[in-house]
Amino acid sequence: MSAQTYLAYDYPLLSAFWTMLVFFLWILWFVLLFRIIVDIFRDDDLHGWAKAGWTLFVIVLPFLGVFVYLIARGKGMGKREVADARARQEALDSYVRQTAQSGGTQPSHADELAKLSDMRSRGDITDDEFRRAKELVLSGAGPARGSDTVSTVPGR
């Protein structure tokens, strides 16, 4: 055995450290490999054969394939990651705005019809307006998100 091997056996904590380091690097390698494979399939600029070639290169010769991919396409990989994160953030912002405007839940047809019936019984709308508004609600062209039922009644 070499002197370094004896050093690891003389100090068991050093052996545990090296084991954890090797295990961490092994996990890090697989994370990098999977991120590259995901990036290959996410890239819209690559066509089918190019994606197949890069995937085969990364799987058959993993170390060389990953390093060549990072050198050749690493800058674009970062740009695609940023664009994807930006698109996800915009979708979340849009969903939050849409949910905030609608009050969190979309009223059902039965709720809308109950509101219309209540308005008719109070005398706020006529029977003809009630009938037209009911047709709108049942046809799916009812009130817009966050708007009141009265706004869909024609003539008001």
Side-chain angles (χ1 to χ4, degrees), residues 23-125:
F23 185 71
F24 173 75
L25 291 175
W26 185 70
I27 296 294
L28 186 68
W29 172 253
F30 278 107
V31 168
L32 181 63
L33 182 68
F34 288 126
R35 284 188 61 124
I36 287 176
I37 290 173
V38 166
D39 186 67
I40 290 170
F41 288 101
R42 179 187 298 161
D43 190 7
D44 291 334
D45 294 337
L46 287 177
H47 298 292
W49 286 108
K51 288 181 182 185
W54 274 112
T55 304
L56 189 65
F57 186 41
V58 166
I59 290 174
V60 172
L61 298 170
F63 290 108
L64 182 63
V66 165
F67 293 134
V68 168
Y69 188 85
L70 287 176
I71 291 168
R73 303 183 50 84
K75 193 172 190 177
M77 188 175 170
K79 289 179 182 178
R80 284 185 292 279
E81 188 72 29
V82 167
D84 186 51
R86 190 171 290 141
R88 280 186 275 137
Q89 183 65 40
E90 288 173 5
L92 176 68
D93 292 344
S94 171
Y95 173 74
V96 168
R97 271 189 239 103
Q98 181 181 17
T99 304
Q101 288 174 352
S102 69
T105 59
Q106 190 68 358
S108 67
H109 293 300
D111 294 336
E112 292 294 323
L113 291 174
K115 286 180 187 177
L116 283 171
S117 179
D118 185 44
M119 290 171 61
R120 181 179 65 171
S121 66
R122 285 184 309 202
D124 293 340
I125 60 173

